[in-house]
Each structure stands twice: as structure tokens, then as C-alpha cells.
Amino acid sequence: MQDSSANHETFLTLLLRHEGMVRAAIRAVVHRAEDVDEVMQAVSIVAWRKFDSLTDAEGFGHWVCMIARYEVLKFQRERARDRFVLDEALVERILEEGAEEGAARGRRLMLLEHCLEKLPEARRELLMQVYSPGCTTRAVAERMGRSEDGLYQLLRRLRLELKRCVELGLVEEGGAA
């Protein structure tokens, strides 16, 4: 087993990598932001306590979603007197689907990164500029000396190329596009 600080670092890295997916799954059932935070905190504590029992770091996302599932059910039971509490079976189904979607989303993101690497560097940099925070398509078009419409057409072709690449990757993996 790893030493304590390496174990802690590995746990935090994995938790932060999957936190968005876990929060989204929790939010599908628990709607108040404060309650989502409370459940996420409980998930984090339980996951840390049980982290030594995880045998495969690749399965962390699914594992932590299962913990979230139980913590959401526990949260729902504690608030059963609230008339807006969802049925346990429905909660379980929503969280199961969230975990499955999270894994599929992770596969698509990895494929997208791979497809981006295949693009010529200039095209990749263009996409990074256009999608960087605070940047507008108009500003990028002006810097490039292109019309805004022309840039939109180029971006549409690049997105279509990336979509096809990801779909081809999913087919090659045996997953659904």
C-alpha cells in the first residue's frame, strides 16, 4: 500500500477529477445547493474512510457514484417527512443512470482529447482561442483578418470533424455513438 501522503494525494486527485460528475448525479435528486453540498461532503468523508478498500483506481468514478447513491438515499430517508422526497427506487435509478452517463461522458472526453491532438496545431490553437473564457468569436475573427461568418463556418467544419472522430472512436471501442 502507498504511504499516507501519497494515498491522500491520490484520493484527492481522483475525487477532484470525478467531483463534477458526482455533484451532477446528486443534483439530479437533491435540488437545494446547500443540500447538494451536504451530501457531497458526506460522500467525500465516506469515500476517504473506505479508500483503502478500492482495488482499482480506474474504477473510482463508478465506486464514488455508488457511495453517492447510498448517501443520497440516507439523506432522503432523514428528510422523509418532507413531501417533496422522491421514491427510493426512483432515486436509485436516477443515480445509476448518472454513473453510467458519467463513465460514457469520460470516454467521450478522452476521445475528444485524442481527436483534438490529431488536428493541425493551428486549428487546435484556433479552437482553444475561441473557447477560452472571455474571448469572443468576433475578436478572434478580427485578429485573424477573417469575417465573423467565415470563422463560424470554419468552426462548424472543425466541430463536425471532431464529432465524426469521436463517433468513430466510440464505434471502434464497441460503444454507441
Side-chain angles (χ1 to χ4, degrees):
M1 194 74 208
Q2 301 175 1
D3 70 14
S4 181
S5 66
N7 200 25
H8 187 250
E9 187 175 320
T10 301
F11 173 78
L12 285 176
T13 301
L14 291 168
L15 182 63
L16 291 173
R17 183 179 306 150
H18 294 90
E19 182 178 11
M21 174 184 69
V22 175
R23 278 188 179 276
I26 294 168
R27 198 173 306 113
V29 179
V30 178
H31 301 289
R32 290 185 51 226
E34 301 84 20
D35 294 339
V36 171
D37 289 342
E38 183 180 329
V39 173
M40 186 66 208
Q41 183 176 17
V43 169
S44 301
I45 291 168
V46 171
W48 172 245
R49 287 180 182 153
K50 296 183 175 192
F51 187 60
D52 286 335
S53 70
L54 180 67
T55 56
D56 177 22
E58 293 296 315
F60 184 87
H62 180 62
W63 178 77
V64 78
C65 279
M66 292 304 294
I67 292 171
R69 174 184 186 181
Y70 292 113
E71 289 303 311
V72 166
L73 290 172
K74 179 179 168 187
F75 176 84
Q76 294 286 74
R77 267 190 241 99
E78 290 170 357
R79 288 170 176 68
R81 62 188 171 277
D82 185 346
R83 62 188 165 133
F84 297 112
V85 173
L86 297 175
D87 175 64
E88 261 188 49
L90 179 59
V91 169
E92 286 190 30
R93 185 168 180 193
I94 290 170
L95 292 172
E96 280 177 25
E97 289 174 4
E100 291 168 8
E101 287 175 13
R105 187 178 312 115
R107 274 196 318 278
R108 286 191 303 272
L109 282 173
M110 286 189 334
L111 286 168
L112 178 59
E113 288 175 5
H114 176 72
C115 293
L116 279 167
E117 290 171 5
K118 289 179 167 181
L119 288 176
E121 186 175 346
R123 297 297 189 221
R124 199 169 46 246
E125 288 177 9
L126 170 66
L127 287 169
M128 295 303 149
Q129 283 179 25
V130 169
Y131 292 110
S132 64
C135 190
T136 65
T137 307
R138 175 176 286 152
V140 173
E142 288 173 4
R143 277 196 304 265
M144 293 178 64
R146 292 184 83 135
S147 73
E148 198 172 346
D149 287 339
L151 181 57
Y152 275 117
Q153 290 302 315
L154 175 59
L155 291 171
R156 184 184 63 75
R157 287 191 303 272
L158 288 171
R159 285 191 299 264
L160 187 58
E161 183 179 340
L162 289 170
K163 180 180 183 242
R164 287 180 183 144
C165 178
V166 168
E167 288 173 347
L168 179 63
L170 288 170
V171 169
E172 288 173 357
E173 284 183 359

